[in-house]
Amino acid sequence: MCRHLGWLGTEVSLSALVLEPPRGLLVQSYAPRRQKHGLLNADGWGVGFFDGGVPRRWRSAAPLWGDTSFESVSPALRSHCVVAAVRSATVGMPIEISATAPFTDGRWLLSHNGVVDRAVLPLPSSAESCCDSAILAATIFERGLDALGDTIAEIGTADPLARLNVLAANGSRLIATTWNETLSILRRPDGVVLASEPYDEDTGWADVPDRHLVEVSADRVTLTALDTKGTR
Ligand code: GLN
């Protein structure tokens, strides 16, 4: 389904992260390599980035590969902390900007790669769209990102078919979960990348094991197994 990417490090351009890598999100929008569900990510794209402490978003419900405006402007947009995604809408979900990641509560940017039965989620009034990912994002924002691992384990237990790879950033931290979808990590000299799949052939990419929480800050990366009791 969707593919997403997070960056925490020194300032880099959005085009260097999203458009230029040989197997980056632009190429993943039409030729993903590790995607288990769906062939294309043509139902929209979004890039969120921190401008100082302020999260800013550029989203579209059209394919990334046709966006000549983003192609033109993105080399001039630079940030130290980015969340970006290309979307393959789940059957039945609306194709609209408000259903497209990243979602925000004004402090965090958040993307969801996967699917969840909306019947197991509350219906937070703050959800931007009726899309499962928008409702999941609002639920996570309400419970707080410090509880992300518990929230995902709980929802994954309530919906055994759920796929719950979440990626979020607040300008100084990147956090992500793996739950039935792929995620890789690359530690570069200038920062850390989390991505649904490697964007190039660098031998430094490592796969994050399933059902884990990854936390990245300026000085460390931590992996914690999620509490999966009752889910297998
Ligand atoms: N279920 C979400 C949507 O419809 C995310 C889909 C995905 O991961 N491809 O947008």
Side-chain angles (χ1 to χ4, degrees):
M1 311 238 51
C2 308
R3 306 278 80 186
H4 55 207
L5 170 139
W7 167 255
L8 183 67
T10 60
E11 262 195 14
V12 294
S13 75
L14 300 187
S15 74
L17 282 178
V18 173
L19 301 182
E20 293 165 27
R23 288 287 182 165
L25 285 181
L26 172 60
V27 176
Q28 288 169 33
S29 68
Y30 55 84
R33 292 188 289 181
R34 295 200 179 175
Q35 194 154 333
K36 292 185 269 184
H37 304 269
L39 299 173
L40 283 181
N41 295 289
D43 298 322
W45 63 273
V47 177
F49 58 98
F50 284 85
D51 169 22
V54 181
R56 302 197 185 279
R57 293 183 293 170
W58 183 340
R59 298 181 294 168
S60 163
L64 178 57
W65 64 73
D67 202 312
T68 51
S69 297
F70 183 68
E71 185 187 2
S72 169
V73 172
S74 59
L77 295 175
R78 301 177 64 81
S79 178
H80 68 288
C81 186
V82 177
V83 173
V86 290
R87 179 175 183 224
S88 166
T90 298
V91 174
M93 299 299 158
I95 297 179
E96 57 192 17
I97 286 182
S98 56
T100 308
F103 304 97
T104 190
D105 63 351
R107 292 181 27 209
W108 289 86
L109 293 167
L110 185 148
S111 168
H112 168 225
N113 164 212
V115 63
V116 58
D117 180 351
R118 288 173 287 182
V120 306
L121 299 174
L123 187 52
S125 54
S126 54
E128 245 190 297
S129 157
C130 64
C131 174
D132 60 347
S133 300
I135 298 172
L136 176 67
T139 304
I140 292 168
F141 291 144
E142 276 193 3
R143 295 196 188 180
L145 271 292
D146 286 334
L148 179 65
D150 291 342
T151 302
I152 292 304
E154 195 184 304
I155 295 170
T157 305
D159 175 8
L161 298 179
R163 303 193 303 274
L164 298 166
N165 279 35
V166 169
L167 173 63
N170 71 349
S172 58
R173 293 164 67 198
L174 270 186
I175 53 180
T177 57
T178 52
W179 194 281
N180 294 339
E181 292 278 0
T182 58
L183 186 73
S184 300
I185 182 168
L186 177 66
R187 299 175 200 222
R188 296 183 359 186
D190 56 345
V192 176
V193 186
L194 292 175
S196 300
E197 53 188 81
Y199 62 45
D200 63 14
E201 304 306 328
D202 193 311
T203 53
W205 286 100
D207 294 341
V208 177
D210 197 36
R211 302 190 179 210
H212 274 68
L213 178 74
V214 189
E215 298 176 86
V216 181
S217 61
D219 55 354
R220 78 170 70 170
V221 174
T222 318
L223 260 75
T224 316
L226 292 175
D227 182 1
T228 59
K229 54 178 177 300
T231 61
R232 286 198 218 240

PDB file of all heavy atoms in Angstrom, residues 86-125:
ATOM      1  N   VAL A  86       3.668   8.457  -0.446  1.00  0.00           N
ATOM      2  CA  VAL A  86       2.868   8.313  -1.663  1.00  0.00           C
ATOM      3  C   VAL A  86       1.785   7.295  -1.343  1.00  0.00           C
ATOM      4  O   VAL A  86       2.008   6.347  -0.592  1.00  0.00           O
ATOM      5  CB  VAL A  86       3.714   7.881  -2.886  1.00  0.00           C
ATOM      6  CG1 VAL A  86       4.624   9.017  -3.324  1.00  0.00           C
ATOM      7  CG2 VAL A  86       4.523   6.619  -2.618  1.00  0.00           C
ATOM      8  N   ARG A  87       0.587   7.506  -1.931  1.00  0.00           N
ATOM      9  CA  ARG A  87      -0.584   6.765  -1.450  1.00  0.00           C
ATOM     10  C   ARG A  87      -1.196   5.839  -2.494  1.00  0.00           C
ATOM     11  O   ARG A  87      -1.377   6.216  -3.643  1.00  0.00           O
ATOM     12  CB  ARG A  87      -1.655   7.762  -0.999  1.00  0.00           C
ATOM     13  CG  ARG A  87      -2.917   7.095  -0.505  1.00  0.00           C
ATOM     14  CD  ARG A  87      -3.924   8.082   0.055  1.00  0.00           C
ATOM     15  NE  ARG A  87      -5.066   7.342   0.570  1.00  0.00           N
ATOM     16  CZ  ARG A  87      -6.334   7.674   0.371  1.00  0.00           C
ATOM     17  NH1 ARG A  87      -6.629   8.766  -0.290  1.00  0.00           N
ATOM     18  NH2 ARG A  87      -7.296   6.911   0.847  1.00  0.00           N
ATOM     19  N   SER A  88      -1.529   4.646  -2.049  1.00  0.00           N
ATOM     20  CA  SER A  88      -2.376   3.718  -2.794  1.00  0.00           C
ATOM     21  C   SER A  88      -3.615   3.532  -1.925  1.00  0.00           C
ATOM     22  O   SER A  88      -3.555   2.858  -0.890  1.00  0.00           O
ATOM     23  CB  SER A  88      -1.641   2.394  -2.986  1.00  0.00           C
ATOM     24  OG  SER A  88      -2.534   1.402  -3.403  1.00  0.00           O
ATOM     25  N   ALA A  89      -4.718   4.158  -2.306  1.00  0.00           N
ATOM     26  CA  ALA A  89      -5.895   4.162  -1.427  1.00  0.00           C
ATOM     27  C   ALA A  89      -6.437   2.750  -1.241  1.00  0.00           C
ATOM     28  O   ALA A  89      -6.522   1.967  -2.186  1.00  0.00           O
ATOM     29  CB  ALA A  89      -6.976   5.058  -2.014  1.00  0.00           C
ATOM     30  N   THR A  90      -6.803   2.430  -0.027  1.00  0.00           N
ATOM     31  CA  THR A  90      -7.499   1.175   0.265  1.00  0.00           C
ATOM     32  C   THR A  90      -8.885   1.233  -0.378  1.00  0.00           C
ATOM     33  O   THR A  90      -9.516   2.297  -0.396  1.00  0.00           O
ATOM     34  CB  THR A  90      -7.619   1.026   1.794  1.00  0.00           C
ATOM     35  OG1 THR A  90      -6.297   0.953   2.343  1.00  0.00           O
ATOM     36  CG2 THR A  90      -8.397  -0.229   2.179  1.00  0.00           C
ATOM     37  N   VAL A  91      -9.329   0.086  -0.888  1.00  0.00           N
ATOM     38  CA  VAL A  91     -10.647   0.022  -1.535  1.00  0.00           C
ATOM     39  C   VAL A  91     -11.708   0.602  -0.597  1.00  0.00           C
ATOM     40  O   VAL A  91     -11.758   0.260   0.585  1.00  0.00           O
ATOM     41  CB  VAL A  91     -11.000  -1.438  -1.883  1.00  0.00           C
ATOM     42  CG1 VAL A  91     -12.425  -1.540  -2.407  1.00  0.00           C
ATOM     43  CG2 VAL A  91     -10.017  -1.972  -2.902  1.00  0.00           C
ATOM     44  N   GLY A  92     -12.516   1.512  -1.128  1.00  0.00           N
ATOM     45  CA  GLY A  92     -13.593   2.103  -0.332  1.00  0.00           C
ATOM     46  C   GLY A  92     -13.220   3.405   0.347  1.00  0.00           C
ATOM     47  O   GLY A  92     -14.087   4.106   0.867  1.00  0.00           O
ATOM     48  N   MET A  93     -11.907   3.744   0.357  1.00  0.00           N
ATOM     49  CA  MET A  93     -11.484   4.986   1.016  1.00  0.00           C
ATOM     50  C   MET A  93     -11.513   6.135   0.008  1.00  0.00           C
ATOM     51  O   MET A  93     -11.214   5.939  -1.175  1.00  0.00           O
ATOM     52  CB  MET A  93     -10.068   4.841   1.587  1.00  0.00           C
ATOM     53  CG  MET A  93      -9.942   3.757   2.626  1.00  0.00           C
ATOM     54  SD  MET A  93     -10.997   4.086   4.057  1.00  0.00           S
ATOM     55  CE  MET A  93     -11.138   2.415   4.690  1.00  0.00           C
ATOM     56  N   PRO A  94     -11.850   7.334   0.462  1.00  0.00           N
ATOM     57  CA  PRO A  94     -11.928   8.464  -0.463  1.00  0.00           C
ATOM     58  C   PRO A  94     -10.549   8.877  -0.990  1.00  0.00           C
ATOM     59  O   PRO A  94      -9.551   8.732  -0.283  1.00  0.00           O
ATOM     60  CB  PRO A  94     -12.518   9.584   0.403  1.00  0.00           C
ATOM     61  CG  PRO A  94     -12.165   9.209   1.804  1.00  0.00           C
ATOM     62  CD  PRO A  94     -12.156   7.710   1.851  1.00  0.00           C
ATOM     63  N   ILE A  95     -10.544   9.327  -2.228  1.00  0.00           N
ATOM     64  CA  ILE A  95      -9.307   9.875  -2.787  1.00  0.00           C
ATOM     65  C   ILE A  95      -9.455  11.390  -2.764  1.00  0.00           C
ATOM     66  O   ILE A  95     -10.162  11.981  -3.576  1.00  0.00           O
ATOM     67  CB  ILE A  95      -9.056   9.329  -4.202  1.00  0.00           C
ATOM     68  CG1 ILE A  95      -8.864   7.812  -4.115  1.00  0.00           C
ATOM     69  CG2 ILE A  95      -7.819   9.990  -4.820  1.00  0.00           C
ATOM     70  CD1 ILE A  95      -8.633   7.127  -5.431  1.00  0.00           C
ATOM     71  N   GLU A  96      -8.866  11.989  -1.745  1.00  0.00           N
ATOM     72  CA  GLU A  96      -8.988  13.434  -1.528  1.00  0.00           C
ATOM     73  C   GLU A  96      -7.778  13.877  -0.703  1.00  0.00           C
ATOM     74  O   GLU A  96      -7.140  13.056  -0.034  1.00  0.00           O
ATOM     75  CB  GLU A  96     -10.289  13.735  -0.763  1.00  0.00           C
ATOM     76  CG  GLU A  96     -10.374  12.992   0.574  1.00  0.00           C
ATOM     77  CD  GLU A  96     -11.757  13.022   1.237  1.00  0.00           C
ATOM     78  OE1 GLU A  96     -12.728  13.330   0.543  1.00  0.00           O
ATOM     79  OE2 GLU A  96     -11.828  12.720   2.436  1.00  0.00           O
ATOM     80  N   ILE A  97      -7.503  15.163  -0.763  1.00  0.00           N
ATOM     81  CA  ILE A  97      -6.319  15.661  -0.050  1.00  0.00           C
ATOM     82  C   ILE A  97      -6.394  15.352   1.444  1.00  0.00           C
ATOM     83  O   ILE A  97      -5.407  14.965   2.072  1.00  0.00           O
ATOM     84  CB  ILE A  97      -6.158  17.175  -0.299  1.00  0.00           C
ATOM     85  CG1 ILE A  97      -5.655  17.403  -1.730  1.00  0.00           C
ATOM     86  CG2 ILE A  97      -5.176  17.784   0.698  1.00  0.00           C
ATOM     87  CD1 ILE A  97      -5.402  18.842  -2.084  1.00  0.00           C
ATOM     88  N   SER A  98      -7.589  15.500   2.032  1.00  0.00           N
ATOM     89  CA  SER A  98      -7.709  15.320   3.487  1.00  0.00           C
ATOM     90  C   SER A  98      -7.505  13.862   3.926  1.00  0.00           C
ATOM     91  O   SER A  98      -7.332  13.595   5.110  1.00  0.00           O
ATOM     92  CB  SER A  98      -9.062  15.835   3.967  1.00  0.00           C
ATOM     93  OG  SER A  98     -10.097  15.193   3.257  1.00  0.00           O
ATOM     94  N   ALA A  99      -7.496  12.922   2.960  1.00  0.00           N
ATOM     95  CA  ALA A  99      -7.228  11.518   3.290  1.00  0.00           C
ATOM     96  C   ALA A  99      -5.761  11.168   3.058  1.00  0.00           C
ATOM     97  O   ALA A  99      -5.363  10.009   3.202  1.00  0.00           O
ATOM     98  CB  ALA A  99      -8.116  10.613   2.441  1.00  0.00           C
ATOM     99  N   THR A 100      -4.976  12.166   2.679  1.00  0.00           N
ATOM    100  CA  THR A 100      -3.593  11.928   2.266  1.00  0.00           C
ATOM    101  C   THR A 100      -2.616  12.325   3.372  1.00  0.00           C
ATOM    102  O   THR A 100      -2.717  13.424   3.923  1.00  0.00           O
ATOM    103  CB  THR A 100      -3.300  12.759   0.985  1.00  0.00           C
ATOM    104  OG1 THR A 100      -4.317  12.488   0.028  1.00  0.00           O
ATOM    105  CG2 THR A 100      -1.940  12.419   0.413  1.00  0.00           C
ATOM    106  N   ALA A 101      -1.677  11.434   3.681  1.00  0.00           N
ATOM    107  CA  ALA A 101      -0.666  11.722   4.702  1.00  0.00           C
ATOM    108  C   ALA A 101       0.326  12.754   4.145  1.00  0.00           C
ATOM    109  O   ALA A 101       0.487  12.856   2.924  1.00  0.00           O
ATOM    110  CB  ALA A 101       0.062  10.435   5.070  1.00  0.00           C
ATOM    111  N   PRO A 102       1.025  13.477   5.018  1.00  0.00           N
ATOM    112  CA  PRO A 102       0.966  13.370   6.471  1.00  0.00           C
ATOM    113  C   PRO A 102      -0.206  14.132   7.090  1.00  0.00           C
ATOM    114  O   PRO A 102      -0.626  15.162   6.601  1.00  0.00           O
ATOM    115  CB  PRO A 102       2.300  13.983   6.908  1.00  0.00           C
ATOM    116  CG  PRO A 102       2.704  14.915   5.831  1.00  0.00           C
ATOM    117  CD  PRO A 102       2.149  14.339   4.565  1.00  0.00           C
ATOM    118  N   PHE A 103      -0.698  13.547   8.199  1.00  0.00           N
ATOM    119  CA  PHE A 103      -1.706  14.197   9.021  1.00  0.00           C
ATOM    120  C   PHE A 103      -0.968  14.983  10.109  1.00  0.00           C
ATOM    121  O   PHE A 103       0.205  14.729  10.377  1.00  0.00           O
ATOM    122  CB  PHE A 103      -2.634  13.139   9.629  1.00  0.00           C
ATOM    123  CG  PHE A 103      -3.263  12.270   8.572  1.00  0.00           C
ATOM    124  CD1 PHE A 103      -2.718  11.021   8.249  1.00  0.00           C
ATOM    125  CD2 PHE A 103      -4.368  12.706   7.860  1.00  0.00           C
ATOM    126  CE1 PHE A 103      -3.271  10.233   7.238  1.00  0.00           C
ATOM    127  CE2 PHE A 103      -4.935  11.929   6.849  1.00  0.00           C
ATOM    128  CZ  PHE A 103      -4.384  10.693   6.542  1.00  0.00           C
ATOM    129  N   THR A 104      -1.667  15.943  10.717  1.00  0.00           N
ATOM    130  CA  THR A 104      -0.987  16.718  11.755  1.00  0.00           C
ATOM    131  C   THR A 104      -1.963  17.138  12.842  1.00  0.00           C
ATOM    132  O   THR A 104      -3.170  17.285  12.594  1.00  0.00           O
ATOM    133  CB  THR A 104      -0.295  17.969  11.158  1.00  0.00           C
ATOM    134  OG1 THR A 104       0.534  18.571  12.152  1.00  0.00           O
ATOM    135  CG2 THR A 104      -1.318  18.987  10.662  1.00  0.00           C
ATOM    136  N   ASP A 105      -1.416  17.336  14.046  1.00  0.00           N
ATOM    137  CA  ASP A 105      -2.189  17.947  15.128  1.00  0.00           C
ATOM    138  C   ASP A 105      -1.597  19.313  15.465  1.00  0.00           C
ATOM    139  O   ASP A 105      -1.890  19.887  16.502  1.00  0.00           O
ATOM    140  CB  ASP A 105      -2.177  17.048  16.371  1.00  0.00           C
ATOM    141  CG  ASP A 105      -0.774  16.880  16.936  1.00  0.00           C
ATOM    142  OD1 ASP A 105       0.208  17.317  16.289  1.00  0.00           O
ATOM    143  OD2 ASP A 105      -0.642  16.312  18.044  1.00  0.00           O
ATOM    144  N   GLY A 106      -0.739  19.798  14.566  1.00  0.00           N
ATOM    145  CA  GLY A 106      -0.080  21.077  14.800  1.00  0.00           C
ATOM    146  C   GLY A 106       1.292  20.928  15.436  1.00  0.00           C
ATOM    147  O   GLY A 106       2.085  21.869  15.450  1.00  0.00           O
ATOM    148  N   ARG A 107       1.566  19.727  15.960  1.00  0.00           N
ATOM    149  CA  ARG A 107       2.897  19.463  16.562  1.00  0.00           C
ATOM    150  C   ARG A 107       3.601  18.310  15.880  1.00  0.00           C
ATOM    151  O   ARG A 107       4.810  18.303  15.729  1.00  0.00           O
ATOM    152  CB  ARG A 107       2.742  19.142  18.052  1.00  0.00           C
ATOM    153  CG  ARG A 107       2.295  20.343  18.862  1.00  0.00           C
ATOM    154  CD  ARG A 107       2.179  19.998  20.328  1.00  0.00           C
ATOM    155  NE  ARG A 107       3.077  18.908  20.681  1.00  0.00           N
ATOM    156  CZ  ARG A 107       2.849  18.031  21.655  1.00  0.00           C
ATOM    157  NH1 ARG A 107       1.768  18.094  22.364  1.00  0.00           N
ATOM    158  NH2 ARG A 107       3.706  17.076  21.929  1.00  0.00           N
ATOM    159  N   TRP A 108       2.832  17.297  15.520  1.00  0.00           N
ATOM    160  CA  TRP A 108       3.388  16.103  14.893  1.00  0.00           C
ATOM    161  C   TRP A 108       2.911  16.006  13.455  1.00  0.00           C
ATOM    162  O   TRP A 108       1.801  16.449  13.121  1.00  0.00           O
ATOM    163  CB  TRP A 108       2.930  14.843  15.635  1.00  0.00           C
ATOM    164  CG  TRP A 108       3.549  14.657  16.981  1.00  0.00           C
ATOM    165  CD1 TRP A 108       3.117  15.194  18.172  1.00  0.00           C
ATOM    166  CD2 TRP A 108       4.722  13.893  17.281  1.00  0.00           C
ATOM    167  NE1 TRP A 108       3.954  14.796  19.186  1.00  0.00           N
ATOM    168  CE2 TRP A 108       4.942  13.998  18.670  1.00  0.00           C
ATOM    169  CE3 TRP A 108       5.602  13.120  16.523  1.00  0.00           C
ATOM    170  CZ2 TRP A 108       6.008  13.366  19.310  1.00  0.00           C
ATOM    171  CZ3 TRP A 108       6.661  12.489  17.149  1.00  0.00           C
ATOM    172  CH2 TRP A 108       6.862  12.617  18.534  1.00  0.00           C
ATOM    173  N   LEU A 109       3.738  15.385  12.632  1.00  0.00           N
ATOM    174  CA  LEU A 109       3.352  14.961  11.286  1.00  0.00           C
ATOM    175  C   LEU A 109       3.304  13.445  11.323  1.00  0.00           C
ATOM    176  O   LEU A 109       4.192  12.813  11.919  1.00  0.00           O
ATOM    177  CB  LEU A 109       4.397  15.407  10.260  1.00  0.00           C
ATOM    178  CG  LEU A 109       4.522  16.914  10.040  1.00  0.00           C
ATOM    179  CD1 LEU A 109       5.799  17.224   9.264  1.00  0.00           C
ATOM    180  CD2 LEU A 109       3.303  17.438   9.297  1.00  0.00           C
ATOM    181  N   LEU A 110       2.294  12.837  10.686  1.00  0.00           N
ATOM    182  CA  LEU A 110       2.124  11.390  10.835  1.00  0.00           C
ATOM    183  C   LEU A 110       1.615  10.758   9.537  1.00  0.00           C
ATOM    184  O   LEU A 110       0.702  11.283   8.894  1.00  0.00           O
ATOM    185  CB  LEU A 110       1.127  11.120  11.970  1.00  0.00           C
ATOM    186  CG  LEU A 110       0.906   9.659  12.367  1.00  0.00           C
ATOM    187  CD1 LEU A 110       0.601   9.562  13.866  1.00  0.00           C
ATOM    188  CD2 LEU A 110      -0.193   8.982  11.573  1.00  0.00           C
ATOM    189  N   SER A 111       2.213   9.631   9.188  1.00  0.00           N
ATOM    190  CA  SER A 111       1.791   8.858   8.022  1.00  0.00           C
ATOM    191  C   SER A 111       1.464   7.431   8.458  1.00  0.00           C
ATOM    192  O   SER A 111       2.090   6.889   9.376  1.00  0.00           O
ATOM    193  CB  SER A 111       2.934   8.846   6.994  1.00  0.00           C
ATOM    194  OG  SER A 111       2.683   7.890   5.990  1.00  0.00           O
ATOM    195  N   HIS A 112       0.501   6.825   7.773  1.00  0.00           N
ATOM    196  CA  HIS A 112       0.133   5.426   8.049  1.00  0.00           C
ATOM    197  C   HIS A 112       0.241   4.624   6.767  1.00  0.00           C
ATOM    198  O   HIS A 112      -0.388   4.969   5.758  1.00  0.00           O
ATOM    199  CB  HIS A 112      -1.315   5.361   8.573  1.00  0.00           C
ATOM    200  CG  HIS A 112      -1.892   3.979   8.614  1.00  0.00           C
ATOM    201  ND1 HIS A 112      -3.163   3.691   8.163  1.00  0.00           N
ATOM    202  CD2 HIS A 112      -1.380   2.794   9.047  1.00  0.00           C
ATOM    203  CE1 HIS A 112      -3.412   2.401   8.328  1.00  0.00           C
ATOM    204  NE2 HIS A 112      -2.347   1.826   8.856  1.00  0.00           N
ATOM    205  N   ASN A 113       1.003   3.558   6.798  1.00  0.00           N
ATOM    206  CA  ASN A 113       1.082   2.595   5.704  1.00  0.00           C
ATOM    207  C   ASN A 113       0.370   1.337   6.188  1.00  0.00           C
ATOM    208  O   ASN A 113       0.869   0.655   7.082  1.00  0.00           O
ATOM    209  CB  ASN A 113       2.562   2.332   5.388  1.00  0.00           C
ATOM    210  CG  ASN A 113       2.793   1.086   4.554  1.00  0.00           C
ATOM    211  OD1 ASN A 113       3.818   0.444   4.705  1.00  0.00           O
ATOM    212  ND2 ASN A 113       1.875   0.741   3.685  1.00  0.00           N
ATOM    213  N   GLY A 114      -0.796   1.060   5.590  1.00  0.00           N
ATOM    214  CA  GLY A 114      -1.514  -0.135   6.006  1.00  0.00           C
ATOM    215  C   GLY A 114      -3.004   0.023   5.890  1.00  0.00           C
ATOM    216  O   GLY A 114      -3.510   0.797   5.077  1.00  0.00           O
ATOM    217  N   VAL A 115      -3.714  -0.706   6.721  1.00  0.00           N
ATOM    218  CA  VAL A 115      -5.171  -0.682   6.701  1.00  0.00           C
ATOM    219  C   VAL A 115      -5.665  -1.058   8.091  1.00  0.00           C
ATOM    220  O   VAL A 115      -5.001  -1.822   8.805  1.00  0.00           O
ATOM    221  CB  VAL A 115      -5.714  -1.664   5.620  1.00  0.00           C
ATOM    222  CG1 VAL A 115      -5.332  -3.097   5.940  1.00  0.00           C
ATOM    223  CG2 VAL A 115      -7.207  -1.539   5.430  1.00  0.00           C
ATOM    224  N   VAL A 116      -6.798  -0.498   8.489  1.00  0.00           N
ATOM    225  CA  VAL A 116      -7.387  -0.891   9.770  1.00  0.00           C
ATOM    226  C   VAL A 116      -8.905  -0.801   9.639  1.00  0.00           C
ATOM    227  O   VAL A 116      -9.426   0.104   8.971  1.00  0.00           O
ATOM    228  CB  VAL A 116      -6.831  -0.028  10.939  1.00  0.00           C
ATOM    229  CG1 VAL A 116      -7.078   1.465  10.720  1.00  0.00           C
ATOM    230  CG2 VAL A 116      -7.420  -0.473  12.271  1.00  0.00           C
ATOM    231  N   ASP A 117      -9.581  -1.750  10.262  1.00  0.00           N
ATOM    232  CA  ASP A 117     -11.039  -1.765  10.277  1.00  0.00           C
ATOM    233  C   ASP A 117     -11.510  -0.587  11.146  1.00  0.00           C
ATOM    234  O   ASP A 117     -11.234  -0.545  12.348  1.00  0.00           O
ATOM    235  CB  ASP A 117     -11.505  -3.108  10.872  1.00  0.00           C
ATOM    236  CG  ASP A 117     -13.017  -3.215  10.914  1.00  0.00           C
ATOM    237  OD1 ASP A 117     -13.713  -2.209  10.647  1.00  0.00           O
ATOM    238  OD2 ASP A 117     -13.496  -4.325  11.225  1.00  0.00           O
ATOM    239  N   ARG A 118     -12.245   0.344  10.527  1.00  0.00           N
ATOM    240  CA  ARG A 118     -12.643   1.545  11.267  1.00  0.00           C
ATOM    241  C   ARG A 118     -13.562   1.229  12.441  1.00  0.00           C
ATOM    242  O   ARG A 118     -13.689   2.038  13.358  1.00  0.00           O
ATOM    243  CB  ARG A 118     -13.298   2.555  10.313  1.00  0.00           C
ATOM    244  CG  ARG A 118     -12.263   3.183   9.382  1.00  0.00           C
ATOM    245  CD  ARG A 118     -12.906   4.047   8.323  1.00  0.00           C
ATOM    246  NE  ARG A 118     -13.580   3.236   7.320  1.00  0.00           N
ATOM    247  CZ  ARG A 118     -14.208   3.734   6.244  1.00  0.00           C
ATOM    248  NH1 ARG A 118     -14.245   5.046   6.067  1.00  0.00           N
ATOM    249  NH2 ARG A 118     -14.779   2.943   5.374  1.00  0.00           N
ATOM    250  N   ALA A 119     -14.169   0.036  12.418  1.00  0.00           N
ATOM    251  CA  ALA A 119     -15.079  -0.328  13.511  1.00  0.00           C
ATOM    252  C   ALA A 119     -14.337  -0.496  14.840  1.00  0.00           C
ATOM    253  O   ALA A 119     -14.954  -0.405  15.913  1.00  0.00           O
ATOM    254  CB  ALA A 119     -15.814  -1.615  13.159  1.00  0.00           C
ATOM    255  N   VAL A 120     -13.028  -0.746  14.805  1.00  0.00           N
ATOM    256  CA  VAL A 120     -12.296  -0.920  16.071  1.00  0.00           C
ATOM    257  C   VAL A 120     -11.728   0.406  16.583  1.00  0.00           C
ATOM    258  O   VAL A 120     -11.105   0.448  17.637  1.00  0.00           O
ATOM    259  CB  VAL A 120     -11.152  -1.968  15.966  1.00  0.00           C
ATOM    260  CG1 VAL A 120     -11.679  -3.292  15.426  1.00  0.00           C
ATOM    261  CG2 VAL A 120      -9.978  -1.451  15.145  1.00  0.00           C
ATOM    262  N   LEU A 121     -11.935   1.483  15.824  1.00  0.00           N
ATOM    263  CA  LEU A 121     -11.407   2.781  16.248  1.00  0.00           C
ATOM    264  C   LEU A 121     -12.544   3.641  16.799  1.00  0.00           C
ATOM    265  O   LEU A 121     -13.681   3.534  16.344  1.00  0.00           O
ATOM    266  CB  LEU A 121     -10.776   3.512  15.053  1.00  0.00           C
ATOM    267  CG  LEU A 121      -9.591   2.819  14.376  1.00  0.00           C
ATOM    268  CD1 LEU A 121      -9.172   3.603  13.131  1.00  0.00           C
ATOM    269  CD2 LEU A 121      -8.418   2.684  15.331  1.00  0.00           C
ATOM    270  N   PRO A 122     -12.217   4.522  17.751  1.00  0.00           N
ATOM    271  CA  PRO A 122     -13.226   5.512  18.135  1.00  0.00           C
ATOM    272  C   PRO A 122     -13.386   6.478  16.961  1.00  0.00           C
ATOM    273  O   PRO A 122     -12.630   6.379  15.990  1.00  0.00           O
ATOM    274  CB  PRO A 122     -12.577   6.215  19.329  1.00  0.00           C
ATOM    275  CG  PRO A 122     -11.113   6.043  19.119  1.00  0.00           C
ATOM    276  CD  PRO A 122     -10.930   4.738  18.393  1.00  0.00           C
ATOM    277  N   LEU A 123     -14.316   7.383  16.983  1.00  0.00           N
ATOM    278  CA  LEU A 123     -14.412   8.350  15.886  1.00  0.00           C
ATOM    279  C   LEU A 123     -14.076   9.734  16.424  1.00  0.00           C
ATOM    280  O   LEU A 123     -14.963  10.501  16.806  1.00  0.00           O
ATOM    281  CB  LEU A 123     -15.812   8.326  15.255  1.00  0.00           C
ATOM    282  CG  LEU A 123     -15.955   9.176  13.991  1.00  0.00           C
ATOM    283  CD1 LEU A 123     -14.871   8.864  12.956  1.00  0.00           C
ATOM    284  CD2 LEU A 123     -17.323   8.975  13.381  1.00  0.00           C
ATOM    285  N   PRO A 124     -12.792  10.043  16.486  1.00  0.00           N
ATOM    286  CA  PRO A 124     -12.425  11.341  17.058  1.00  0.00           C
ATOM    287  C   PRO A 124     -12.950  12.461  16.159  1.00  0.00           C
ATOM    288  O   PRO A 124     -12.873  12.362  14.943  1.00  0.00           O
ATOM    289  CB  PRO A 124     -10.888  11.315  17.044  1.00  0.00           C
ATOM    290  CG  PRO A 124     -10.501   9.907  16.712  1.00  0.00           C
ATOM    291  CD  PRO A 124     -11.650   9.309  15.978  1.00  0.00           C
ATOM    292  N   SER A 125     -13.479  13.497  16.778  1.00  0.00           N
ATOM    293  CA  SER A 125     -14.067  14.582  15.991  1.00  0.00           C
ATOM    294  C   SER A 125     -12.998  15.319  15.199  1.00  0.00           C
ATOM    295  O   SER A 125     -13.290  16.020  14.236  1.00  0.00           O
ATOM    296  CB  SER A 125     -14.788  15.546  16.921  1.00  0.00           C
ATOM    297  OG  SER A 125     -13.888  15.964  17.922  1.00  0.00           O
TER     298      SER A 125
END
